[in-house]
Amino acid sequence: MNTLNVSEYVQTLGLQAKLASALMARADAATKNKALKALARRLRAAGAPLAEANAKDLARAEGAGLSAPMVDRLKLTPKVIETVAQGCEQLAAMSDVIGEVIGMKQQPSGIRVGQMRVPIGVFGMIYESRPNVTIEAASLAIKSGNAAILRGGSEAIESNKALARLVAESLEEAGLPVDAVQLVGTTDREAVGQLIAMPQFVDVIIPRGGKGLIERISRDARVPVIKHLDGNCHVYVDHTAELDMALKIVDNAKTQKYSPCNAAEGLLVASSIAETFLPEIGAIFAAKGVEMRCDPAAAQILRSEGAHLPADKVLDAVESDWSEEYLAAVISIKVVEGVDEAIAHINHYSSHHTDAIVTRDHMNAQRFLREVDSASVMVNASTRFADGFEFGLGAEIGISTDKFHARGPVGIEGLTSLKYVVLGQGEVRT
Amino acid sequence: MNTLNVSEYVQTLGLQAKLASALMARADAATKNKALKALARRLRAAGAPLAEANAKDLARAEGAGLSAPMVDRLKLTPKVIETVAQGCEQLAAMSDVIGEVIGMKQQPSGIRVGQMRVPIGVFGMIYESRPNVTIEAASLAIKSGNAAILRGGSEAIESNKALARLVAESLEEAGLPVDAVQLVGTTDREAVGQLIAMPQFVDVIIPRGGKGLIERISRDARVPVIKHLDGNCHVYVDHTAELDMALKIVDNAKTQKYSPCNAAEGLLVASSIAETFLPEIGAIFAAKGVEMRCDPAAAQILRSEGAHLPADKVLDAVESDWSEEYLAAVISIKVVEGVDEAIAHINHYSSHHTDAIVTRDHMNAQRFLREVDSASVMVNASTRFADGFEFGLGAEIGISTDKFHARGPVGIEGLTSLKYVVLGQGEVRT
């Protein structure tokens, strides 16, 4: 396809999605759940056609010299398929949020005014490599009563096409419009440019991938973007913290897994307990091979003889360390005067994703919750909890580092809007 | 100022607003209300300096040959000043939404997860002519704990500067940062371009003005825009409607005031009652000088001898009539088969602002509420109720015709976001 044709093709997908979205919006819960269960069944029974499509992608990826972890991400193993099938079933089992009416109250004029939750319309999902995202996005679209246009990575195009066929069959089986979930069938990059610039057809774009992709899409999009940028998360250990709890939380937030966006990248410690706390957490970090990038006060404590730490694990932090999202066995450490300095440091350097305080002091806990300007703020819990499933949302579309519309982990509600409903008995304005 | 200087100047306002917003976010309700009450007092006591500033704008406007209604809009009469002063006092009397915690629930891990309402940060307001908007925006910023950058029309610059001084004095009197509300002090158009392109400083833009202004800002903005475009509102009179109620609602929706965005521009009537209903509403419209642009079926009824209507008030509708926002003594009229055709017509032609059904049929009422894709959907009430005050929001920042973040009349909550708060007792991820 040439650029003009790609653009026309994506606009056609947009129009079809818009038309399908009206039918999806009024589909009842039972019908949507039927499609989700059909999809789970068809995924498990997919067999050879899906395996062959996936094999083509894998062969192409290996031929192109992609790294082993990159190739691994493309693999639709029986385990991966079972996981997404179960995801569909879990969504089917969830209660339906569409049609929920909240806040209905009588006004002085006599009219009753409330808000009804309705699907947002059409969302576009742009993602890389992992083909299982195709099923996650499709199942979220079905459950939320939206239409979706999916643009997966070119390296997974055959797998994605095979999966999209299963989705279409499941929609058809349930009596829903097959255009409710459409895969962009071309790997031409122009398609992304068109997809993010059709406010007449697409209500929101959800990119999943590297920071570069997300920044590019946010910059060029003509529609709202639910975007997730950095996760530079902090734990602040207050002077009244229970030390055992603080050790457990800081250790977990940093080392339970290094790659998630909700892992801690910075540790702040109140000066009055730094001499006690830092050597203990330092020993845990050193034993796990975590490199500590320290401000002068923390470095002095961690380098003291009593701390018994290997010299190569305690480094001097430079200014850029306070802003960095390491996603690795590295943590920045700073001694602060108290909760004021901790809040100021976090609000200055944090990426406003997730930050936690460990404390027994009620006033400091309250101030931290109120004043730290992050999507998730926590008292006495690991930052690793910042997750749609741990927060009880039942599904996770993404995590938003924006303040507009959705903030923090985004569940099905992030794909809905609230419209006003007014019930009258003949009232008019005077 | 040259373009570079304007750009730097607006960025400075942005940085100052950002810094002030952190202090505003933690200001307590009593302090914010003190500033609002001080502003009301200072407005009433403003006297000569404000009157002189306003006189300069009026003289310039008259000199430039602005029309009398345009000049009128600029006037800060004692009545206008009293109205905005009362608005400040009403906001001061409202309960504070900042810090509200909703949905706090325990999760299987033991953590308690809820959401806390916090200010969105910094908003930019771009508006034309009426200087009273300066006070409305300033008072909304103060109550909601946000900082604001205000860009008023060049024709009101002297009045706006005088009003902004009163705001600054009131903020200072209450101990709040004076940079919480800043007026863009230049009429250079480049300032708008810069204001809408600083995502690092400004969280949302609220334009108020003509459709051209709002479309231009939406197209060029690098930050979210709470935008209000057309109000092409409909009333559908179902076959089970009580005729007296239907007459009262349709009359009110169209003629109570012609200029508001929530006035009805289209009337749909079920075919089985068209012969009874149309001549009656036609007589009301004709008596008030309302021009009726009709589809063939409606025209036939309204032109019949029994209807006794003046021929020049009953016209044939053309295709563009179904989409038009007249804001005048004109209404489009169409006879439809029933609720299905009414919903289809509205979803195709409406501007998704406000649409109403008049009916006694419960199922049709429910279908209309669910399926009409508009910001406000009503049963047995006049579309003229679509308004922040009538909906009980206590204030109105604007009306959003978007689905993202805020939809329909936007109150103080539209200037807030919900962040997640997590209360733990030492929980970690396993």
Short mmCIF file of all heavy atoms in Angstrom, two decimals, chain B residues 82-109:
data_model
loop_
_atom_site.label_atom_id
_atom_site.label_comp_id
_atom_site.label_asym_id
_atom_site.label_seq_id
_atom_site.Cartn_x
_atom_site.Cartn_y
_atom_site.Cartn_z
N GLU B 82 -21.67 43.22 41.65
CA GLU B 82 -22.38 42.57 42.75
C GLU B 82 -22.58 41.08 42.46
O GLU B 82 -22.43 40.24 43.34
CB GLU B 82 -23.73 43.27 43.00
CG GLU B 82 -24.56 42.67 44.13
CD GLU B 82 -23.83 42.63 45.47
OE1 GLU B 82 -22.95 43.47 45.73
OE2 GLU B 82 -24.15 41.71 46.26
N THR B 83 -22.89 40.76 41.20
CA THR B 83 -23.10 39.35 40.84
C THR B 83 -21.83 38.52 41.03
O THR B 83 -21.87 37.43 41.61
CB THR B 83 -23.58 39.24 39.37
OG1 THR B 83 -24.78 40.01 39.23
CG2 THR B 83 -23.86 37.80 38.98
N VAL B 84 -20.69 39.02 40.56
CA VAL B 84 -19.46 38.23 40.73
C VAL B 84 -19.03 38.18 42.19
O VAL B 84 -18.50 37.17 42.67
CB VAL B 84 -18.30 38.70 39.82
CG1 VAL B 84 -18.59 38.36 38.37
CG2 VAL B 84 -17.98 40.17 39.98
N ALA B 85 -19.29 39.27 42.94
CA ALA B 85 -18.96 39.26 44.38
C ALA B 85 -19.78 38.19 45.09
O ALA B 85 -19.26 37.42 45.91
CB ALA B 85 -19.21 40.63 44.99
N GLN B 86 -21.08 38.12 44.73
CA GLN B 86 -21.93 37.07 45.33
C GLN B 86 -21.46 35.68 44.93
O GLN B 86 -21.51 34.75 45.72
CB GLN B 86 -23.38 37.28 44.91
CG GLN B 86 -24.06 38.39 45.71
CD GLN B 86 -25.51 38.61 45.28
OE1 GLN B 86 -26.10 37.78 44.59
NE2 GLN B 86 -26.07 39.73 45.68
N GLY B 87 -20.99 35.56 43.69
CA GLY B 87 -20.45 34.27 43.24
C GLY B 87 -19.29 33.82 44.11
O GLY B 87 -19.19 32.64 44.48
N CYS B 88 -18.40 34.77 44.47
CA CYS B 88 -17.27 34.44 45.34
C CYS B 88 -17.77 33.97 46.70
O CYS B 88 -17.25 33.01 47.28
CB CYS B 88 -16.37 35.66 45.53
SG CYS B 88 -15.53 36.16 44.03
N GLU B 89 -18.78 34.65 47.22
CA GLU B 89 -19.32 34.27 48.54
C GLU B 89 -20.00 32.91 48.48
O GLU B 89 -19.92 32.13 49.43
CB GLU B 89 -20.29 35.36 49.02
CG GLU B 89 -19.56 36.63 49.43
CD GLU B 89 -20.47 37.82 49.64
OE1 GLU B 89 -21.62 37.79 49.15
OE2 GLU B 89 -20.04 38.78 50.30
N GLN B 90 -20.68 32.64 47.36
CA GLN B 90 -21.32 31.32 47.23
C GLN B 90 -20.28 30.21 47.20
O GLN B 90 -20.45 29.16 47.82
CB GLN B 90 -22.17 31.27 45.95
CG GLN B 90 -23.52 31.97 46.11
CD GLN B 90 -24.16 32.31 44.78
OE1 GLN B 90 -23.71 31.86 43.73
NE2 GLN B 90 -25.20 33.12 44.81
N LEU B 91 -19.18 30.45 46.49
CA LEU B 91 -18.10 29.45 46.47
C LEU B 91 -17.53 29.26 47.87
O LEU B 91 -17.25 28.14 48.30
CB LEU B 91 -16.99 29.87 45.51
CG LEU B 91 -17.20 29.58 44.03
CD1 LEU B 91 -16.04 30.15 43.22
CD2 LEU B 91 -17.30 28.07 43.78
N ALA B 92 -17.35 30.38 48.59
CA ALA B 92 -16.81 30.28 49.95
C ALA B 92 -17.73 29.45 50.84
O ALA B 92 -17.26 28.73 51.73
CB ALA B 92 -16.62 31.68 50.53
N ALA B 93 -19.03 29.52 50.59
CA ALA B 93 -19.99 28.79 51.42
C ALA B 93 -20.07 27.30 51.06
O ALA B 93 -20.56 26.49 51.85
CB ALA B 93 -21.37 29.43 51.29
N MET B 94 -19.60 26.95 49.88
CA MET B 94 -19.66 25.54 49.46
C MET B 94 -18.68 24.69 50.26
O MET B 94 -17.62 25.16 50.65
CB MET B 94 -19.28 25.42 47.97
CG MET B 94 -20.41 25.57 46.99
SD MET B 94 -19.75 25.58 45.28
CE MET B 94 -19.10 23.90 45.16
N SER B 95 -19.02 23.41 50.45
CA SER B 95 -18.07 22.52 51.13
C SER B 95 -16.89 22.27 50.20
O SER B 95 -16.99 22.40 48.98
CB SER B 95 -18.76 21.23 51.55
OG SER B 95 -19.22 20.56 50.41
N ASP B 96 -15.76 21.93 50.81
CA ASP B 96 -14.51 21.76 50.05
C ASP B 96 -14.42 20.32 49.57
O ASP B 96 -14.64 19.39 50.34
CB ASP B 96 -13.33 22.09 50.96
CG ASP B 96 -12.13 22.56 50.17
OD1 ASP B 96 -11.51 21.70 49.49
OD2 ASP B 96 -11.82 23.75 50.20
N VAL B 97 -14.10 20.13 48.28
CA VAL B 97 -14.01 18.75 47.77
C VAL B 97 -12.58 18.21 47.85
O VAL B 97 -12.37 17.01 47.67
CB VAL B 97 -14.50 18.64 46.30
CG1 VAL B 97 -15.95 19.05 46.18
CG2 VAL B 97 -13.63 19.45 45.35
N ILE B 98 -11.62 19.09 48.13
CA ILE B 98 -10.21 18.65 48.13
C ILE B 98 -9.94 17.79 49.37
O ILE B 98 -10.29 18.15 50.48
CB ILE B 98 -9.27 19.86 48.09
CG1 ILE B 98 -9.52 20.68 46.82
CG2 ILE B 98 -7.81 19.43 48.18
CD1 ILE B 98 -9.39 19.91 45.53
N GLY B 99 -9.34 16.64 49.16
CA GLY B 99 -9.01 15.75 50.27
C GLY B 99 -10.05 14.66 50.50
O GLY B 99 -9.81 13.70 51.23
N GLU B 100 -11.20 14.81 49.84
CA GLU B 100 -12.24 13.78 49.89
C GLU B 100 -11.62 12.42 49.52
O GLU B 100 -10.86 12.33 48.56
CB GLU B 100 -13.32 14.15 48.87
CG GLU B 100 -14.41 13.11 48.66
CD GLU B 100 -15.30 13.40 47.42
OE1 GLU B 100 -14.90 14.16 46.52
OE2 GLU B 100 -16.39 12.85 47.38
N VAL B 101 -11.92 11.39 50.29
CA VAL B 101 -11.41 10.05 49.96
C VAL B 101 -12.60 9.15 49.64
O VAL B 101 -13.56 9.09 50.40
CB VAL B 101 -10.59 9.45 51.11
CG1 VAL B 101 -10.21 8.00 50.81
CG2 VAL B 101 -9.32 10.27 51.34
N ILE B 102 -12.54 8.50 48.48
CA ILE B 102 -13.67 7.67 48.07
C ILE B 102 -13.23 6.22 47.84
O ILE B 102 -12.09 5.94 47.52
CB ILE B 102 -14.36 8.20 46.78
CG1 ILE B 102 -13.38 8.24 45.61
CG2 ILE B 102 -14.96 9.57 47.01
CD1 ILE B 102 -14.04 8.60 44.29
N GLY B 103 -14.18 5.32 48.06
CA GLY B 103 -13.99 3.91 47.68
C GLY B 103 -12.93 3.16 48.43
O GLY B 103 -12.41 2.17 47.92
N MET B 104 -12.58 3.60 49.65
CA MET B 104 -11.52 2.90 50.39
C MET B 104 -11.97 1.47 50.73
O MET B 104 -12.97 1.29 51.42
CB MET B 104 -11.21 3.69 51.66
CG MET B 104 -10.08 3.15 52.52
SD MET B 104 -8.42 3.25 51.81
CE MET B 104 -8.07 5.01 51.90
N LYS B 105 -11.25 0.49 50.20
CA LYS B 105 -11.63 -0.91 50.41
C LYS B 105 -10.40 -1.75 50.70
O LYS B 105 -9.34 -1.52 50.12
CB LYS B 105 -12.27 -1.47 49.13
CG LYS B 105 -13.71 -1.09 48.95
CD LYS B 105 -14.29 -1.75 47.70
CE LYS B 105 -15.61 -1.09 47.32
NZ LYS B 105 -15.87 -1.14 45.90
N GLN B 106 -10.58 -2.77 51.53
CA GLN B 106 -9.46 -3.68 51.79
C GLN B 106 -9.32 -4.67 50.63
O GLN B 106 -10.31 -5.20 50.13
CB GLN B 106 -9.68 -4.44 53.10
CG GLN B 106 -8.43 -5.16 53.53
CD GLN B 106 -8.57 -5.94 54.83
OE1 GLN B 106 -7.79 -6.82 55.11
NE2 GLN B 106 -9.58 -5.63 55.62
N GLN B 107 -8.09 -4.92 50.24
CA GLN B 107 -7.81 -5.88 49.17
C GLN B 107 -7.31 -7.20 49.77
O GLN B 107 -6.92 -7.23 50.94
CB GLN B 107 -6.75 -5.30 48.21
CG GLN B 107 -7.21 -4.01 47.54
CD GLN B 107 -8.49 -4.17 46.75
OE1 GLN B 107 -8.72 -5.20 46.12
NE2 GLN B 107 -9.36 -3.17 46.80
N PRO B 108 -7.30 -8.27 48.99
CA PRO B 108 -6.86 -9.57 49.53
C PRO B 108 -5.47 -9.53 50.19
O PRO B 108 -5.22 -10.26 51.15
CB PRO B 108 -6.85 -10.47 48.28
CG PRO B 108 -7.87 -9.87 47.37
CD PRO B 108 -7.78 -8.38 47.61
N SER B 109 -4.58 -8.66 49.73
CA SER B 109 -3.24 -8.58 50.33
C SER B 109 -3.25 -7.95 51.71
O SER B 109 -2.26 -8.03 52.44
CB SER B 109 -2.34 -7.73 49.43
OG SER B 109 -2.85 -6.40 49.35
#
